């Protein structure tokens, strides 16, 4: 049941990001055109409109401003840095999506309201979203008493980890936003997950990151990650954890973002860092166990340890949906029995779609009866993989895409692996089934020469200057 719910949630997210590719109201350094500005309300008068960034800042200096697509345009795109110091409120009201491509700074005691999918009707299948482009875009507040309203909900602005943990403990269903980037090195070393209370609300990272988080846990059966767990209907989006260091001994589960299970939605979240472990049941670069949805996210994590059952570059277990996501980094597992390790997920019991793994997967010493694969170590009987690929170095290996495939024929479709990256046998797409249907081996040159058969050009791109020439996700381009 959870899996069915997640499919619907992720599908909406993916469609929203696809629609954002075209901006209709452009807030930029171009001259204002096709905009009617009256009494602080600027409304598009044509499908393509421009509001000059200087004109907008001038208006904000003297009062509140609302920028609206109206009924003729669809999206709002902020593609120049924007800052104001007055107490004015900026409202961005779009028929579909709002996209932030540069830094928006609410200096002083200003305010921001974001509304998407405002068509003035109750139509179904609304596909808009509040999208903040990773690394380039962000919204930053200088005053924690400022007002932030997103989709009608008022968010509490948070400036540090300890306050977030305290607020969530008091109200697990609240709405919170990271006001600006935070350097966690000043916190020292955490001995457990900083946010231990299972989260059921909404956390908006606003494109800001928490850097240099360090956790070292020797507590038996602990779950170790930034969030201990995300419960339904919790949402975490537009958030980054950078240069994190996690060590766990004897833990039940580890993930840089979520140490236990994600039963909600993770959207546009990205993590970098390293995880070292011993005697730990399962480890995922982003989350330990995904029971909800992960969309448009990534993990660039160095994972190294021993005696684990399941390890994945993004998630140890996927029981629901992973879409439009990818992994870099490396994964090395040693001294394990009956273990599964995959570049994207360790064990897949759900759906992996339009995703890729480019991390190194190293099957270390004494891994008895273990299975390693470019995307997943095991694809369970109900697991599905489609429109995905693996192009990371695998040595030695079980299968180029899947270590052990237990699913019926047809559950894997239009998925590929790089024959030149360690699994050169074209029959070994799966480690246990020769010529497993739906899996095709391609050379590096073939993968870099264009989109593989079945890949949708509205979702995937191919460019020799992006992702080393390998296919990349248009709505989630690689961060390096």
């Amino acid at each position: 049941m959870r899996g069915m719910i997640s499919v619907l949630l992720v599908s909406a997210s993916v469609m929203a990001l696809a629609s954002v590719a075209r901006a209709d109201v452009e807030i930029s350094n171009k001259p204002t055109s096709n905009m009617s500005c009256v009494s602080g309300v600027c409304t598009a008068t044509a499908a393509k409109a421009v509001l000059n960034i200087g004109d907008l800042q001038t208006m904000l200096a003297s009062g509140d401003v609302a920028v609206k697509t109206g009924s003729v345009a669809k999206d709002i795109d902020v593609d120049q840095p924007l800052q104001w110091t007055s107490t004015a409120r900026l409202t961005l009201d779009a028929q579909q999506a709002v996209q932030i491509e540069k830094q928006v700074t609410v200096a002083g005691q200003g305010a921001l309201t974001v509304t998407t999918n405002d068509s003035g009707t109750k139509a179904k299948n609304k596909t808009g979203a509040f999208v903040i482009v990773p690394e380039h875009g962000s919204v930053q507040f200088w005053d924690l008493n400022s007002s932030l309203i997103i989709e009608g909900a008022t968010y509490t602005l948070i400036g540090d980890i300890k306050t977030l943990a305290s607020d969530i403990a008091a109200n697990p269903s609240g709405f919170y936003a990271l006001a600006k980037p935070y350097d966690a090195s000043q916190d020292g070393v955490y001995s457990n997950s900083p946010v231990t209370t299972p989260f059921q609300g909404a956390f908006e990272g606003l494109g800001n990151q928490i850097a240099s988080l360090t956790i070292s846990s020797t507590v038996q059966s602990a779950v170790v990650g930034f969030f201990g767990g995300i419960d339904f209907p919790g949402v975490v989006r537009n958030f980054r954890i950078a240069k994190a260091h996690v060590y766990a001994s004897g833990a039940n589960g580890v993930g840089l973002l979520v140490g236990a299970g994600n039963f909600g939605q993770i959207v546009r979240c990205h993590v970098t860092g390293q995880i070292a472990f011993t005697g730990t049941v399962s480890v995922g670069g982003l989350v330990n166990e995904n029971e909800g949805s992960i969309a448009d996210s990534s993990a660039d994590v160095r994972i190294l340890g021993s005696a684990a059952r399941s390890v994945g570059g993004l998630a140890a277990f996927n029981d629901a949906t992973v879409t439009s996501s990818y992994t870099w980094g490396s994964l090395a597992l040693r001294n394990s029995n009956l273990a599964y390790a995959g570049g994207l997920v360790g064990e897949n019991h759900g759906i992996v779609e339009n995703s890729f793994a480019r991390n190194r997967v190293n099957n270390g010493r004494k891994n008895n009866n273990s299975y390693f694969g470019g995307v997943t170590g095991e694809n369970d009987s109900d697991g599905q993989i489609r429109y995905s690929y693996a192009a990371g170095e695998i040595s030695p290996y079980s299968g180029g895409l899947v270590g052990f495939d237990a699913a019926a024929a047809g559950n894997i479709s239009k998925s590929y692996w790089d024959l030149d990256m360690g699994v050169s046998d074209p029959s070994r797409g799966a480690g246990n089934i020769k010529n497993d249907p739906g899996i095709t081996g391609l050379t590096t040159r073939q993968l870099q020469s264009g989109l593989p058969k079945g890949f949708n050009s509205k979702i995937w791109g191919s460019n020799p200057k992006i992702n080393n020439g390998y296919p990349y996700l248009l709505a989630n381009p690689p961060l390096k």
Side-chain angles (χ1 to χ4, degrees), residues 88-421:
R89 177 180 296 275
L90 172 63
T91 297
L92 301 175
D93 186 342
Q95 189 174 180
Q96 287 191 359
V98 172
Q99 177 163 290
I100 307 296
E101 294 188 12
K102 300 294 183 180
Q103 183 174 317
V104 174
T105 305
V106 186
Q109 296 181 337
L112 177 67
T113 295
V114 177
T115 301
T116 66
N117 292 308
D118 187 8
S119 62
T121 68
K122 296 182 179 181
K124 297 181 179 179
N125 301 320
K126 295 184 176 182
T127 59
F130 178 37
V131 178
I132 298 180
V133 177
E135 284 199 318
H136 304 290
S138 67
V139 176
Q140 299 184 18
F141 287 85
W142 289 8
D143 190 327
L144 297 181
N145 293 315
S146 291
S147 170
L148 172 65
I149 299 174
I150 303 174
E151 313 298 2
T154 298
Y155 282 70
T156 299
L157 293 173
I158 300 296
D160 61 80
I161 295 173
K162 292 179 180 179
T163 301
L164 176 65
S166 176
D167 284 2
I168 290 178
N171 181 13
S173 300
F175 293 79
Y176 308 98
L178 184 61
K180 54 187 175 181
Y182 182 74
D183 183 357
S185 63
Q186 61 190 296
D187 295 355
V189 179
Y190 287 90
S191 61
N192 202 343
S193 298
V195 182
T196 56
T197 306
F199 184 51
Q200 303 170 353
F203 177 70
E204 174 60 67
L206 295 175
N208 298 312
Q209 71 175 23
I210 288 177
S212 303
L213 172 70
T214 301
I215 306 174
S216 180
S217 173
T218 57
V219 178
Q220 296 298 302
S221 301
V223 291
V224 183
F226 182 79
F227 290 98
I230 299 175
D231 285 351
F232 183 84
V235 179
V236 178
R237 58 179 172 251
N238 295 318
F239 179 47
R240 296 183 65 207
I241 297 175
K243 300 178 181 179
H245 291 76
V246 172
Y247 171 75
S249 176
N252 270 347
V254 178
L256 288 189
L257 182 65
V258 184
N262 165 47
F263 290 84
Q265 297 181 68
I266 295 174
V267 186
R268 294 181 296 279
C269 290
H270 307 274
V271 297
T272 68
Q274 60 183 33
I275 297 172
F277 65 92
T278 182
T280 294
V281 175
S282 52
V283 178
L286 184 74
V287 305
N288 175 43
E289 184 170 3
N290 179 45
E291 296 277 358
S293 63
I294 299 174
D296 307 292
S297 299
S298 73
D300 182 358
V301 183
R302 182 175 181 264
I303 301 174
L304 174 64
S306 61
R309 170 192 162 181
S310 182
V311 181
L314 192 78
F317 301 97
N318 175 45
D319 296 328
T321 58
V322 173
T323 62
S324 299
S325 298
Y326 67 87
T327 55
W328 290 73
S330 62
L331 186 161
L333 177 62
R334 299 171 180 169
N335 301 324
S336 294
N337 294 319
L338 296 173
Y340 300 99
L344 199 73
V345 297
E347 299 179 42
N348 181 44
H349 305 263
I351 297 172
V352 173
E353 185 175 51
N354 291 314
S355 298
F356 68 87
R358 287 198 57 210
N359 50 353
R360 297 188 303 276
V361 180
N362 181 14
N363 182 353
R365 61 184 180 273
K366 297 182 180 179
N367 289 316
N368 300 321
N369 300 313
S370 297
Y371 294 90
F372 286 59
V375 164
T376 183
E378 181 201 31
N379 192 47
D380 199 51
S381 58
D382 51 357
Q384 299 179 49
I385 303 172
R386 47 189 182 241
Y387 317 119
S388 299
Y389 75 89
E393 181 180 347
I394 306 175
S395 176
Y397 63 87
S398 297
L401 191 85
V402 178
F404 187 94
D405 186 13
N411 276 28
I412 301 178
S413 60
K414 300 295 190 300
S415 294
Y416 305 85
W417 88 96
D418 191 329
L419 289 164
D420 298 323
M421 298 298 284

Side-chain angles (χ1 to χ4, degrees), residues 24-25 35 42-47 49 67-77 92-98 115 118-119:
D24 291 323
V25 174
M35 293 292 294
C42 294
T43 306
T45 59
V67 180
K68 299 187 175 186
T69 60
S71 60
V72 294
K74 292 183 173 61
D75 307 326
I76 296 174
D77 184 4
L92 301 175
D93 186 342
Q95 189 174 180
Q96 287 191 359
V98 172
T115 301
D118 187 8
S119 62

